[in-house]
Amino acid sequence: MAVRVQKAAFDIAAELVDFGQDAGVGGIVTFSGIVRDLPGGGLKAMEIEHYPGMTERAIAKIVAEATTRWELIDCLVIHRFGALAPGAPIMMVATAAAHRAEAFAAAEFLMDYLKSRAPFWKKEITEAGAEWVDAKDEDEAALGRW
């Protein structure tokens, strides 16, 4: 199980080379988040801020919860911070379990948490200036299923 909050880019394929290498693994689920441009374009960067130490502990806590709710064999969460251009990888979740249902459910749970509760602050930077991104109602509602 690993949690990394980092400024540096990561290679999704390279992260998976040694992931879930256990004879009991029957399925691996991955999700990669990419910085998307604004509707109509114009995003120069997404600036992501966090409190070092606090953010890693908060994510590790939810990873621990996921491993107790589902029988995960391995789990990886990577989330970047700093100024990220459209098209850049922003985060990745990988879960490994004996059965795909466990891996899928745990990955969705982690994604819903990261989207709405992980302590990151996002600012959209455009030619017109910068604006903080507000929480979305649909992201909050997604937590209700857990």
Side-chain angles (χ1 to χ4, degrees):
M1 309 294 166
V3 172
R4 295 195 335 250
V5 178
Q6 63 191 49
K7 189 169 193 166
F10 58 89
D11 181 320
I12 297 163
E15 296 294 341
L16 293 173
V17 169
D18 294 322
F19 180 79
Q21 296 300 310
D22 181 286
V25 170
I28 293 174
V29 170
T30 64
F31 177 85
S32 303
I34 309 298
V35 177
R36 72 175 167 266
D37 205 345
L38 298 170
L43 182 70
K44 291 175 66 176
M46 174 73 73
E47 179 78 33
I48 300 172
E49 296 181 11
H50 76 109
Y51 289 114
M54 181 185 89
T55 303
E56 291 86 347
R57 283 190 302 276
I59 296 171
K61 183 177 177 184
I62 202 68
V63 167
E65 182 178 340
T67 61
T68 61
R69 292 177 77 163
W70 296 278
E71 294 183 29
L72 294 182
I73 296 169
D74 205 355
C75 182
L76 171 65
V77 176
I78 302 171
H79 204 297
R80 294 180 64 199
F81 65 91
L84 306 173
I90 189 171
M91 58 77 56
M92 174 183 176
V93 167
T95 56
H99 304 283
R100 64 187 161 112
E102 299 280 299
F104 272 110
E108 285 190 288
F109 171 78
L110 290 165
M111 285 305 310
D112 286 344
Y113 170 80
L114 288 168
K115 190 73 173 162
S116 60
R117 291 289 190 270
F120 290 101
W121 295 269
K122 299 175 183 176
K123 188 186 325 177
E124 295 173 339
I125 301 170
T126 66
E127 290 289 335
E131 189 171 313
W132 291 103
V133 177
D134 292 328
K136 294 186 172 78
D137 291 337
E138 59 267 19
D139 294 335
E140 291 294 320
L143 287 177
R145 64 187 173 143
W146 308 112

